Amino acid sequence: LAGSLWLTFWVPTKGKVWLETQLERQLPLDVTIGRMRYSLWEGLFLEDVRGVDPHTGILWLHAPHLQAHVGVATLVLQQQVAFRMEGAIAAPCQTNVAMAGRFQIRRRRLMLDATTTAISLDRIIPQLVERLPRALKAGSVELTIHLDAQPDRDPSITGRLTGTQLVWEQGSVRLT
């Protein structure tokens, strides 16, 4: 109970800054969290989370509301933060996401599994659309990804993409 009381005061001030710093170390983005608070029974609430590319100014991440639950026992016993998080994502696409993962504090290693709800291709930011095949015109996809990121290494991202009602327009194709 004392730890919960401490988190109630630490999270909105120092915890918010700590989390922004950790995310910036893992991602090539400038990260800001508009507001962050903690409740013993409901966990962490994050509002207006943004990730902007510092070189281009492109908003690659915008999460209006996220809720997270953190495993305190793993923090104390194993020096890693185990967490579950869910919420709405507005950029780079509109979807809901559910995540679970671990952050190893000493190694600064992030391991994360995430699943999205259906993402309509017409609701994706233009900068991401530019990276998709030009023949892909419409439909929706759901993503399941695994991320393993640690300092001084390229992140490893694996996953599964499931499409529904995809429209692929291609000119004449000649097979030989």
Side-chain angles (χ1 to χ4, degrees), residues 23 34 54 71 87 101 142 157 168-169:
L23 289 170
E142 293 181 23
I157 302 172
W168 188 279
E169 293 180 1

Side-chain angles (χ1 to χ4, degrees), residues 19-153:
L19 183 56
E20 288 171 337
T21 302
Q22 297 307 313
L23 289 170
E24 286 180 348
R25 286 181 179 166
Q26 298 297 325
L27 304 170
L29 302 173
D30 289 338
V31 177
T32 59
I33 300 170
R35 184 172 176 228
M36 191 164 120
R37 63 184 173 85
Y38 174 79
S39 165
L40 174 62
W41 304 114
E42 297 174 320
L44 288 171
F45 290 91
L46 294 89
E47 297 177 6
D48 197 26
V49 179
R50 294 175 179 267
V52 176
D53 183 319
H55 304 294
T56 64
I58 296 171
L59 178 68
W60 282 105
L61 171 65
H62 180 220
H65 304 282
L66 295 171
Q67 182 177 6
H69 296 275
V70 178
V72 178
T74 59
L75 176 61
V76 174
L77 299 173
Q78 299 172 357
Q79 298 235 336
Q80 68 179 1
V81 177
F83 62 91
R84 291 183 333 239
M85 184 179 293
E86 57 186 37
I89 303 293
C93 54
Q94 292 183 0
T95 188
N96 290 318
V97 66
M99 298 176 268
R102 296 184 317 270
F103 179 72
Q104 297 173 342
I105 294 172
R106 287 188 182 172
R107 295 176 63 197
R108 294 193 341 239
R109 180 180 184 189
L110 173 65
M111 293 161 287
L112 172 75
D113 293 303
T115 303
T116 70
T117 57
I119 301 167
S120 178
L121 295 177
D122 62 356
R123 310 281 315 244
I124 298 175
I125 64 170
Q127 295 84 357
L128 182 55
V129 170
E130 292 172 2
R131 291 168 165 77
L132 298 176
R134 290 185 183 173
L136 186 58
K137 301 297 182 189
S140 64
V141 295
E142 293 181 23
L143 294 171
T144 301
I145 63 167
H146 175 76
L147 168 70
D148 189 344
Q150 49 192 317
D152 305 324
R153 288 190 182 174

